[in-house]
Amino acid sequence: MSDTLILRRPDDWHLHLRDGAVLRAVLPETARHFARAIVMPNLVPPVVTGAQAAAYRDRILAALPEGMTFEPLMTLYLTEDTNPEDVASAAASGLVRAVKLYPAGATTNSASGVADFDRVRGVLERMAGIGLHLCVHGEVTDPEIDIFDREAVFIDRVLDPIRRTTPGLRVVMEHITTSGAADYVRAAPADLAATITTHHLVINRNHILVGGIRPHYYCLPVAKRESHRLALLDAALSGDARFFLGTDSAPHVDANKQSACGCAGCFTATNTLSILAEIFEREGALDRLEGFTSRFGAAFYGMAPNDGTLTLTRGDALRLPEKIETEDGPVTVFDPGFPLHWRVTP
Ligand code: DOR
Ligand code: ZN
């Protein structure tokens, strides 16, 4: 087996960068490896208009250290008041690459999300007309639905009706966590794809709950049972171009994770590529890594893959930082629970 792998420079099709001190601290962790990322708009207040997206993009670029290159692909946060014309003009200028649908209350900073899906039909139809992608957080928020069933119910009650009533809309079902979601994507026409996170390929719900509660493994959608993790692994390793990497790397400072009401999110920007190389190697599928990290997502978004490459070299176990320091406090890096051997260099 070769100990060196040349990988076309990857993209992250679902990323949280936040703002201010946390943005400054976490941006280099992504930009070191990834050329581009779809940047989530769930700031406080959320990024709703084209003007807000332009200002956020400027703040991201201002936070990028000298000598690093990175292209933020901006998104708009869909609300029931979103103006279809504002969306269309932000897309036409090339600023905005996708619109993000959060069901109201589904996750971190999603209070302004959508409760009545009929009220966003006009925006969705406009998006279908201009070929602008919809990214969805696929969980219902109905308190009567068990948290482990929320993705499955979302597919039936929300996603499938939206796709049927808005033909031509290109949809990314983000951070899928169930075998049912993977099956749904496989069975759909080519206008539907899914991102898979690094952490959902590594953990199941036992990691969060057995032997004590582990806040750094708590994310949304919450990790499911082992059979679902194996189904996600199968999808990621399959070489099916409808499944690609969106890390959902979601920094929260430790004080907000290690709390009586801890925030959802795993911070994986620092070690994602080393973790993925370890997993793909273990499964004898290193030749499929580049499709998952560097080709399939760009193709679905209609973009060319990146020109540059990274070199991954297998060696002794890596010593990566356990925390990233920010002026607001430390952010814990996701611990996969196994040693990592693939070093990533430009
Ligand atoms: O775990 C998560 N964290 N899931 C999300 O959907 C949001 C994210 C965040 O913003 O922290
Ligand atoms: Zn997210």
Side-chain angles (χ1 to χ4, degrees):
M1 186 182 12
S2 168
D3 284 348
T4 303
L5 182 69
I6 307 290
L7 194 73
R8 190 175 279 265
R9 201 158 166 225
D11 301 304
D12 186 346
W13 298 99
H14 180 137
L15 176 67
H16 297 269
L17 286 173
R18 316 296 189 207
D19 219 337
V22 173
L23 167 63
R24 283 194 296 281
V26 302
L27 180 60
E29 300 302 300
T30 285
R32 191 172 294 132
H33 297 158
F34 293 89
R36 303 172 289 203
I38 287 275
V39 178
M40 287 297 123
N42 62 333
L43 305 182
V44 191
V47 179
V48 171
T49 64
Q52 288 168 330
Y56 185 32
R57 183 173 188 278
D58 289 346
R59 295 199 297 282
I60 295 168
L61 292 175
L64 191 64
E66 279 282 322
M68 280 189 155
T69 57
F70 175 70
E71 185 185 355
L73 307 172
M74 306 310 292
T75 60
L76 293 180
Y77 186 117
L78 183 62
T79 74
E80 293 179 8
D81 300 319
T82 294
N83 177 341
E85 293 318 310
D86 181 57
V87 170
S89 67
S93 72
L95 168 72
V96 159
R97 301 303 189 124
V99 170
K100 174 70 186 251
L101 166 64
Y102 286 105
T107 187
T108 309
N109 305 333
S110 61
S112 328
V114 179
D116 178 354
F117 294 93
D118 286 337
R119 295 194 54 185
V120 296
R121 179 150 306 151
V123 182
L124 299 182
E125 281 168 5
R126 192 88 169 87
M127 290 170 59
I130 60 177
L132 184 63
H133 291 60
L134 180 72
C135 297
V136 298
H137 182 109
E139 288 188 292
V140 290
T141 54
D142 182 341
E144 284 175 12
I145 305 295
D146 187 276
I147 190 165
F148 291 102
D149 298 333
R150 288 179 174 200
E151 184 172 279
V153 174
F154 180 87
I155 293 172
D156 289 346
R157 285 196 196 163
V158 182
L159 182 56
D160 203 57
I162 283 179
R163 292 187 48 252
R164 271 190 279 108
T165 51
T166 326
L169 182 65
R170 290 177 75 75
V171 178
V172 182
M173 193 180 177
E174 302 195 287
H175 43 49
I176 60 168
T177 60
T178 57
S179 57
D183 291 343
Y184 180 74
V185 171
R186 274 192 209 98
D191 57 6
L192 180 68
T195 56
I196 300 178
T197 75
T198 306
H199 50 281
H200 287 116
L201 293 176
V202 174
I203 61 168
N204 62 39
R205 61 197 196 179
N206 281 9
H207 290 81
I208 313 169
L209 296 170
V210 171
I213 194 157
R214 316 241 174 217
H216 296 292
Y217 290 145
Y218 173 61
C219 64
L220 287 170
V222 70
K224 310 296 192 293
R225 61 172 67 241
E226 176 66 1
S227 56
H228 292 292
R229 185 188 73 85
L230 293 173
L232 300 177
L233 198 54
D234 205 45
L237 296 166
S238 67
D240 181 333
R242 254 128 30 103
F243 299 102
F244 46 85
L245 176 64
T247 66
D248 198 13
S249 181
H252 293 278
V253 296
D254 284 355
N256 293 337
K257 291 285 293 175
Q258 299 165 199
S259 139
C261 184
C263 294
C266 296
F267 178 69
T268 54
T270 306
N271 54 8
T272 271
L273 288 178
S274 297
I275 295 172
L276 292 175
E278 200 80 33
I279 295 173
F280 276 64
E281 177 195 26
R282 194 192 290 158
E283 302 293 332
L286 268 180
D287 57 327
R288 303 221 168 134
L289 182 60
E290 186 175 80
F292 183 68
T293 60
S294 316
R295 289 184 181 278
F296 300 157
F300 190 73
Y301 276 90
M303 296 179 207
N306 300 306
D307 285 331
T309 58
L310 296 173
T311 302
L312 277 63
T313 315
R314 196 184 202 293
D316 293 339
L318 301 180
R319 294 173 61 89
L320 293 171
E322 287 171 15
K323 292 182 192 291
I324 301 299
E325 298 299 331
T326 86
E327 286 165 28
D328 292 347
V331 170
T332 293
V333 177
F334 176 75
D335 174 5
F338 47 78
L340 300 176
H341 299 89
W342 290 91
R343 181 176 302 284
V344 184
T345 49

